Amino acid sequence: MSVSKEQLVDGRRLYAIASVLVLLLVVYGWRFFQMQVVEGYIYQDRAQETAQRSEPVFAQRGQIFDRNYDAPLASNRNSFTITVVPADLPRGAHEEIITRVALLFDREPGPVLDRYRSTARGRYQPVEIISNVSVENLTLLAENIREFPGVSWYSKPERVYPFGEVTSNVVGYVGDITTQELQILFNEGYTATAILGKNGIEQRYDQLLRGSDGRRFRLFDAQGRRIGEDERIIPPTQGSNLVLTIDRSLQELAQEALGPRIGSVVVMKPHSGEVLALVTYPRFDPNRFIGPGGNREVQRLSRDVRSPFLNRPVQSAAAPASTFKIVMSTAVLEENAFPLDEEIDCTGQFPFGNRVFNDWLEFGHGPVNLAQALAQSCNIFYYTMGTSRLSLDQIIDYSYRLGLGSTTGIDISGEVAGLVPSPAWKEQNRNSRWVGGDTVNLSIGQGYLQVTPLQMAVMMSTLVNDGIAKRPYILSEVRNPITGNIESRVQPEMVRDAELRPETLRNIRSHMREVITDGTAEVVITTRAVESAGKTGTGQVGIQERYHSWFVAYAPHGEDVPVEEKVVVVVMVDAANEWEWWAPKAANIILHGYFQGLDFENTVMELRRGPRPLWYM
Amino acid sequence: MIKEIQSRSIFEIDLYIVAVTIALLVTSVLFVFSSGVTATGQIVSNEYVRQIVWGATGLVLMLTVTFVHYRLFYRLAPMVFGVMILFLIITPVLGRSVYGARRWLGIAQFGAQPSEFAKVALILFLARFYSDRWKQAGSLKTFIAGLSVTMVPILLVLAQPDLGTAMVYFPIFLMIAFFGGARPSHLAYISLFVVTLVFFTALPFWAEHLSRRAVPFVGVLTEQFAMQLLLAGLGAAIVMAGLGLFFTRRPLFGWLIYGFSIPTLSIPMAYAARLVLRDYQIMRLVVFLNPYVDPQGAGWNIIQSITAVGSGGPFGKGFLQGTQSHYQYLPAQSTDFIFSILAEEWGFVGVLFVFLLFGILFARSLYIMMLARDRFAVLVVSGVVAMFLFHFLVNVGMTIGMMPITGLPLLLLSFGGSSIWTAMIGLGLVMSVYQHRYQY
């Protein structure tokens, strides 16, 4: 079959496109002719003079305050950054000069050279080689500047943390942006000289804190000589100030109460979700990352087996042990699974399948009802509940309803979700079937169950706040850095309704009160400053004489006390420490100090003089 | 007889295109090299070596495609297009993040931009689409179907995000539809829509950053209530014209609907586009209108490029003698602004030389279109012409401030493996059409 060409290509359309092509070449050609031949001399002059160089004028990063808004937890100090302009360094002597500058400021030349090589871009863009140089040290360079051609400096605010390690796990720290971070954040307006929050609030709210940098422009001729003294400045915009929910003095009190023990403390308001204290140990001091030896300090801490960078209250999950009995009791009450006045005879032994599970008290507690079982932390009672009165699905359901097994949504990065185990989970991850013994272990909060201290605080808050769970949060207000006016305020946010009957809530709270008045915690909670309620926990980790120590509490107890006044305290002391049963002891000090408004020393002094002397300190 | 023609045709390869391609590639290597040399004569980039490798492999690729009968590509077109769409879908998810966008797919240090190769895939697919439907080519249904197919790669590439490359697919569609027999009124409608969309998007920014006095009516575009009122008015006008058309059957009312519906669609779309566009993209639009608004920031590139071009003069400063480029005042010298370096160092003569080469390429392609044996062949060539034309229009226009900065490379001259290979596969297709012009 032959098709005539007229049908294939419409001649008029072909001419139309051909005309467009010709027109394009002619118009562009004419424009080039105008620019290059007719007006070329104008541009030739301009090429001689438009050599303009610019350097950044850095914005002050927003300050971070605690809830009292009096003294900053993170602030700025004037300091200098040493730069080099590659084109101005003498040929072949780049490395030699940079090495000499590094030694002058007591830095290791290796990393400084690496930084130069990895960030040098344009030949005329200043490259940062050493950050955070104080005015005193800068004079070393300034006085001998002739020996360092191509080296210069500009002012760049340096971050300081006046309270050092007290709030380091909450506030975090900042550092120079890395090449990888820049690749990802380029479109958000970050540049190669940006300072970036690396951790905590500094990282989470970097966009609010960083403000925007300005620029200073100066003219140079084509040979690189400065022309005139003119300079034009685009002023920087300061970053916003942040006010946190953290109470600095409570944070310090809780830290000293925990002492040098690996573990964590959470204090929060159940009514709103405000986190008043978030303590971890061991900690780091971000001020030591700045200046000479800063990199070495980071590397040393990264290698520390005790993981000082781990923010334990949100990033470290462990079995909740007996504190989980609160969840069990709540389930029993809500489901009416066991009458309040009925008792179970605890003999200290619980035969199940082909195994015998023991109580922690060798010969048992004798007959106990639900309230006494929680107060005495009777394992046998809860084994019975878990295996015959409640179904496994109910235990799992109540765990989720009280916030275990999922992240709490706190505004700090790296939170872990812990684990509420289920038969399906075990099939998939352990490749074995769920057995009755797993349920027995789960009933007393052992086995595969993993929770973070913050999750336990949310669990307790839910029960205190009549079943309504609020998202725990740390950022409270954003304030204008100049006027101090509030730009926005974070509102408490409900995340879950556990849907518990008022009767259940009243009963579980009174049972927890009995733990303090007639139960396991009676001997350690010596404070008379406030009526508290809670639950102890002693977690087996498979090592003789080593246990996780948990204490989950709230205060003041009392159905007539407004919920706004109540706080929840969770202390967790890791099994890596000597066994001291320290969690309830620390909580005792924290509760007394908080409600009396005292610092650590005065709290301990007052408790020693109290009606029941502090026997353990 | 046929056998004789076939054997003869192997030696009848289109030498014009081969010669022009080689000339452009050599020029490209020269200026990629030049862009990597600093004012003090140090060679700071080995990009030119890679460009040689890509050019040489590209030539092999081009000749391979030449000797394959284009009917094979006709058969493979849907599959090729499908595979490319798949690559475009996974790129934003699995791609490498470079300067805030995910455009690259790759293993180890080897990577490719699927959005480049997707141009050829789209050309093949649309050429087949329109050649299969040539009897209904003028129908609205065909037009909407063809446009919808084109929107798929456009939206996927926008998601990367890569505004520049996403734009190229549109002229490819226009050109193939134009030669495929689409109605000019349809093509004009969609083109007017795009133009008014860009205009309404940019107007408020222009009013905010550039205009020294208040611009009337801009509020209509930025305030929701005013915009709703305007749209309601336009809607009423369309309804009335519709009624008029229904009762009187006069074509005037049809054209009224045609005219009114364009702003009715583009104004709300522009409002949405302003919400989606990033700050840096907006600034590029604004500085295109007047680079001196922000001479040290976003306008810097345009000013430096114009200065480089203008200072080149009639005969240029000589190879490797350019000042603007060697002081590295130009960003992305080897890709976006390679033509500025050429214009600076070779002057107006060099510009004319490159224009001549591209002119031959275009003329030859149109000639081959007339020789082509079937509709698919015609449309493939027209698509390749559209691709080269648009890259040339935008990239060269950008160096003299007549087009906004979008990061589109100049095909065959700019540094970059994916774009060189795409261009040469495209030329291979054109030559394949020439090669097989006597075969049925």
Side-chain angles (χ1 to χ4, degrees):
Chain A
M1 186 195 79
S2 165
V3 188
S4 82
K5 282 169 194 166
E6 281 72 21
Q7 278 175 298
L8 277 178
V9 189
D10 183 336
R12 282 170 308 172
R13 295 192 178 197
L14 195 64
Y15 281 125
I17 292 302
S19 319
V20 168
L21 284 168
V22 171
L23 190 71
L24 169 68
L25 290 175
V26 168
V27 168
Y28 276 10
W30 179 249
R31 182 83 191 113
F32 275 98
F33 180 75
Q34 278 288 323
M35 286 171 66
Q36 298 193 288
V37 181
V38 182
E39 297 169 352
Y41 64 97
I42 301 175
Y43 295 102
Q44 276 154 24
D45 287 351
R46 206 180 282 170
Q48 286 302 308
E49 72 189 28
T50 57
Q52 190 166 28
R53 297 187 198 169
S54 67
E55 60 184 35
V57 181
F58 293 97
Q60 292 278 328
R61 198 173 166 87
Q63 294 182 305
I64 302 175
F65 292 88
D66 81 338
R67 65 187 299 121
N68 304 311
Y69 190 54
D70 47 7
L73 307 177
S75 186
N76 306 301
R77 168 167 74 203
N78 268 336
S79 96
F80 294 89
T81 292
I82 308 299
T83 62
V84 294
V85 175
D88 295 343
L89 288 171
R91 257 171 110 172
H94 289 207
E95 305 213 336
E96 184 227 315
I97 288 192
I98 291 168
T99 305
R100 272 166 47 209
V101 175
L103 293 173
L104 185 68
F105 292 108
D106 195 19
R107 304 296 210 277
E108 283 172 48
V112 174
L113 280 167
D114 286 344
R115 185 170 172 189
Y116 168 71
R117 290 193 200 102
S118 64
T119 53
R121 275 167 201 278
R123 304 249 312 142
Y124 289 88
Q125 288 297 312
V127 183
E128 295 188 357
I129 56 167
I130 298 172
S131 307
N132 304 314
V133 173
S134 67
V135 189
E136 300 83 60
N137 286 333
L138 185 65
T139 54
L140 289 175
L141 175 71
E143 284 167 3
N144 303 305
I145 192 65
R146 280 168 198 286
E147 293 170 31
F148 299 97
V151 180
S152 184
W153 62 87
Y154 46 61
S155 166
K156 188 172 187 177
E158 166 186 314
R159 202 65 162 159
V160 283
Y161 301 94
F163 292 89
E165 64 173 42
V166 174
T167 49
S168 59
N169 63 315
V170 176
V171 171
Y173 59 96
V174 297
D176 296 312
I177 194 166
T178 65
T179 321
Q180 292 93 320
E181 285 164 339
L182 182 63
Q183 292 286 7
I184 294 160
L185 295 169
F186 184 73
N187 275 357
E188 315 294 333
Y190 289 86
T191 59
T193 52
I195 295 286
L196 190 68
K198 303 279 180 174
N199 209 337
I201 292 292
E202 292 270 31
Q203 179 188 37
R204 180 59 178 261
Y205 296 109
D206 195 71
Q207 294 277 6
L208 291 172
L209 288 165
R210 72 192 184 105
S212 65
D213 293 340
R215 273 196 108 65
R216 174 185 290 116
F217 300 95
R218 295 178 185 152
L219 279 178
F220 290 81
D221 67 11
Q223 279 72 46
R225 290 180 301 243
R226 177 92 191 270
I227 306 170
E229 288 299 307
D230 284 358
E231 57 176 36
R232 202 171 65 88
I233 293 182
I234 299 175
T237 317
Q238 240 175 292
S240 299
N241 286 352
L242 303 185
V243 181
L244 309 184
T245 59
I246 299 289
D247 183 333
R248 194 177 68 229
S249 37
L250 180 61
Q251 176 91 2
E252 272 169 317
L253 171 72
Q255 260 168 25
E256 287 175 71
L258 179 65
R261 297 169 184 87
I262 295 177
S264 33
V265 181
V266 180
V267 183
M268 70 181 273
K269 286 191 174 239
H271 175 65
S272 57
E274 288 164 271
V275 177
L276 301 177
L278 195 73
V279 174
T280 189
Y281 185 88
R283 294 178 283 273
F284 58 90
D285 182 354
N287 294 316
R288 298 182 60 183
F289 302 163
I290 294 164
N295 285 336
R296 255 170 300 167
E297 177 72 3
V298 174
Q299 280 162 19
R300 189 181 69 77
L301 291 175
S302 307
R303 282 196 303 265
D304 191 330
V305 287
R306 300 179 309 160
S307 315
F309 285 121
L310 192 68
N311 195 4
R312 291 171 185 275
V314 296
Q315 292 179 330
S316 160
S322 299
T323 56
F324 186 69
K325 289 170 183 165
I326 302 172
V327 178
M328 292 293 291
S329 277
T330 308
V332 170
L333 287 164
E334 181 72 14
E335 298 292 331
N336 290 319
F338 193 76
L340 278 175
D341 48 8
E342 205 174 304
E343 291 179 337
I344 281 178
D345 188 21
C346 168
T347 59
Q349 293 198 325
F350 183 74
F352 188 82
N354 51 7
R355 246 188 91 177
V356 175
F357 290 85
N358 293 312
D359 195 90
W360 59 273
L361 198 64
E362 203 182 342
F363 300 106
H365 297 91
V368 285
N369 65 18
L370 182 58
Q372 288 160 340
L374 192 73
Q376 301 301 329
S377 200
C378 170
N379 287 356
I380 307 300
F381 183 91
Y382 287 97
Y383 290 152
T384 316
M385 293 299 116
T387 50
S388 57
R389 299 306 175 109
L390 292 169
S391 70
L392 177 59
D393 285 343
Q394 281 172 332
I395 300 176
I396 292 171
D397 177 45
Y398 278 88
S399 302
Y400 280 125
R401 274 159 74 175
L402 290 169
L404 308 185
S406 62
T407 51
T408 64
I410 191 172
D411 48 347
I412 202 163
S413 48
E415 190 189 4
V416 298
L419 174 71
V420 174
S422 67
W425 170 86
K426 200 185 174 195
E427 295 265 331
Q428 274 176 18
N429 294 279
R430 290 288 183 276
N431 208 16
S432 60
R433 225 165 41 79
W434 183 272
V435 294
D438 292 328
T439 313
V440 174
N441 275 329
L442 179 61
S443 309
I444 58 158
Q446 293 283 164
Y448 300 111
L449 185 65
Q450 299 262 300
V451 301
T452 64
L454 183 66
Q455 281 175 326
M456 291 313 274
V458 169
M459 183 275 288
M460 183 59 108
S461 298
T462 312
L463 297 176
V464 175
N465 197 35
D466 296 330
I468 306 296
K470 292 289 171 63
R471 182 180 70 87
Y473 67 96
I474 292 179
L475 176 67
S476 148
E477 293 162 3
V478 179
R479 285 179 183 252
N480 185 294
I482 316 279
T483 62
N485 291 336
I486 295 173
E487 285 173 344
S488 69
R489 177 178 271 141
V490 177
Q491 297 302 324
E493 187 187 324
M494 175 181 145
V495 285
R496 213 179 305 105
D497 184 349
E499 291 174 5
L500 300 172
R501 287 180 285 120
E503 195 191 336
T504 304
L505 291 161
R506 242 189 349 264
N507 280 324
I508 186 68
R509 290 193 290 239
S510 99
H511 290 183
M512 287 193 285
R513 175 64 186 150
E514 281 185 46
V515 173
I516 310 292
T517 54
D518 302 302
T520 49
E522 196 268 335
V523 285
V524 274
I525 305 300
T526 61
T527 175
R528 289 281 176 272
V530 65
E531 288 191 359
S532 57
K535 181 75 192 81
T536 55
T538 303
Q540 296 151 13
V541 290
I543 307 170
Q544 279 289 308
E545 305 294 315
R546 287 290 172 95
Y547 308 96
H548 289 314
S549 178
W550 283 90
F551 192 64
V552 181
Y554 73 90
H557 171 74
E559 296 297 317
D560 49 338
V561 179
V563 70
E564 291 83 356
E565 291 173 19
K566 300 190 182 192
V567 291
V568 164
V569 177
V570 172
V571 184
M572 195 273 188
V573 178
D574 197 276
N577 306 287
E578 286 286 311
W579 170 245
E580 300 171 277
W581 199 30
W582 192 257
K585 296 173 184 171
N588 184 42
I589 298 168
I590 295 167
L591 286 170
H592 188 85
Y594 178 71
F595 284 98
Q596 295 292 81
L598 298 174
D599 66 7
F600 178 72
E601 273 78 27
N602 286 312
T603 306
V604 171
M605 219 156 24
E606 208 172 283
L607 281 172
R608 280 192 183 135
R609 284 201 306 262
R612 295 171 60 198
L614 199 61
W615 50 271
Y616 47 83
M617 275 192 82
Chain B
M1 171 75 179
I2 286 174
K3 199 168 167 61
E4 188 186 326
I5 293 170
Q6 272 177 340
S7 57
R8 204 185 63 188
S9 73
I10 290 171
F11 303 99
E12 277 212 340
I13 184 166
D14 189 35
L15 288 174
Y16 288 96
I17 291 184
V18 175
V20 165
T21 306
I22 290 173
L24 282 169
L25 285 177
V26 170
T27 312
S28 166
V29 170
L30 287 178
F31 284 96
V32 169
F33 175 77
S34 174
S35 76
V37 176
T38 68
T40 47
Q42 287 165 294
I43 298 164
V44 291
S45 161
N46 65 349
E47 282 179 343
Y48 73 99
V49 180
R50 287 192 274 165
Q51 188 76 345
I52 292 173
V53 173
W54 284 324
T57 47
L59 275 175
V60 175
L61 203 60
M62 179 171 91
L63 292 175
T64 311
V65 174
T66 304
F67 291 113
V68 174
H69 197 298
Y70 60 82
R71 293 305 294 183
L72 179 66
F73 295 114
Y74 173 86
R75 273 201 307 248
L76 292 179
M79 199 193 75
V80 170
F81 188 65
V83 169
M84 280 322 298
I85 292 298
L86 217 66
F87 276 127
L88 288 181
I89 290 171
I90 62 172
T91 305
V93 187
L94 302 176
R96 275 185 226 164
S97 194
V98 177
Y99 286 119
R102 290 181 188 274
R103 300 171 184 173
W104 289 81
L105 268 188
I107 306 154
Q109 73 268 43
F110 301 102
Q113 282 180 292
S115 55
E116 288 291 332
F117 296 106
K119 292 169 196 167
V120 174
L122 181 71
I123 291 172
L124 292 176
F125 189 84
L126 284 176
R128 174 167 172 158
F129 178 85
Y130 267 96
S131 60
D132 284 351
R133 283 168 189 72
W134 66 276
K135 281 181 178 155
Q136 313 100 44
S139 77
L140 186 61
K141 205 178 122 195
T142 309
F143 178 74
I144 290 173
L147 182 63
S148 312
V149 167
T150 313
M151 286 312 289
V152 176
I154 291 185
L155 293 176
L156 288 174
V157 173
L158 277 178
Q160 292 183 0
D162 186 352
L163 184 62
T165 305
M167 290 188 323
V168 187
Y169 303 117
F170 186 65
I172 288 175
F173 164 72
L174 282 185
M175 187 74 94
I176 293 179
F178 186 64
F179 282 105
R183 273 197 212 163
S185 64
H186 291 162
L187 296 174
Y189 186 87
I190 192 70
S191 306
L192 280 173
F193 170 73
V194 171
V195 169
T196 51
L197 176 63
V198 172
F199 177 74
F200 287 134
T201 308
L203 189 61
F205 295 124
W206 179 77
E208 184 187 332
H209 293 280
L210 291 175
S211 177
R212 306 220 173 270
R213 56 205 160 76
V215 182
F217 308 122
V218 170
V220 167
L221 299 172
T222 52
E223 278 158 44
Q224 253 188 358
F225 180 71
M227 189 176 74
Q228 281 161 359
L229 218 62
L230 176 75
L231 290 179
L234 284 167
I238 290 173
V239 169
M240 278 161 67
L243 288 174
L245 184 67
F246 184 75
F247 287 115
T248 66
R249 303 262 158 216
R250 284 170 65 183
L252 168 71
F253 290 109
W255 289 111
L256 281 177
I257 296 174
Y258 184 93
F260 281 132
S261 60
I262 290 174
T264 313
L265 292 174
S266 58
I267 287 175
M269 287 280 285
Y271 185 81
R274 277 197 299 277
L275 297 180
V276 173
L277 283 177
R278 309 272 182 92
D279 277 353
Y280 75 102
Q281 290 169 324
I282 291 165
M283 272 326 277
R284 279 181 184 174
L285 269 179
V286 171
V287 297
F288 162 58
L289 298 166
N290 182 0
Y292 292 91
V293 170
D294 185 11
Q296 279 86 26
W300 172 260
N301 302 353
I302 298 181
I303 295 170
Q304 291 309 317
S305 174
I306 290 177
T307 311
V309 171
S311 64
F315 305 105
K317 297 174 185 169
F319 185 58
L320 298 183
Q321 303 301 310
T323 52
Q324 298 303 101
S325 49
H326 297 308
Y327 281 105
Q328 311 218 328
Y329 290 137
L330 280 169
Q333 311 194 69
S334 59
T335 52
D336 300 8
F337 288 102
I338 192 146
F339 199 69
S340 313
I341 303 181
L342 183 140
E344 185 184 17
E345 299 192 346
W346 280 2
F348 187 58
V349 176
V351 171
L352 283 187
F353 171 67
V354 172
F355 276 31
L356 180 73
L357 292 179
F358 274 101
I360 295 172
L361 212 55
F362 289 133
R364 205 56 204 167
S365 300
L366 295 187
Y367 174 66
I368 290 172
M369 260 169 88
M370 292 197 292
L371 299 180
R373 273 290 132 185
D374 60 33
R375 285 198 162 75
F376 176 72
V378 169
L379 298 180
V380 165
V381 179
S382 73
V384 175
V385 168
M387 177 171 81
F388 271 87
L389 173 63
F390 191 72
H391 277 267
F392 183 86
L393 173 81
V394 173
N395 184 285
V396 174
M398 178 168 97
T399 61
I400 49 176
M402 290 177 78
M403 285 282 155
I405 292 175
T406 50
L408 274 190
L410 183 54
L411 290 183
L412 294 178
L413 275 185
S414 291
F415 170 75
S418 298
S419 88
I420 285 230
W421 280 14
T422 304
M424 296 187 78
I425 293 170
L427 290 177
L429 289 170
V430 174
M431 284 164 62
S432 171
V433 169
Y434 180 78
Q435 204 67 22
H436 304 96
R437 65 194 184 277
Y438 298 121
Q439 293 170 10
Y440 291 90

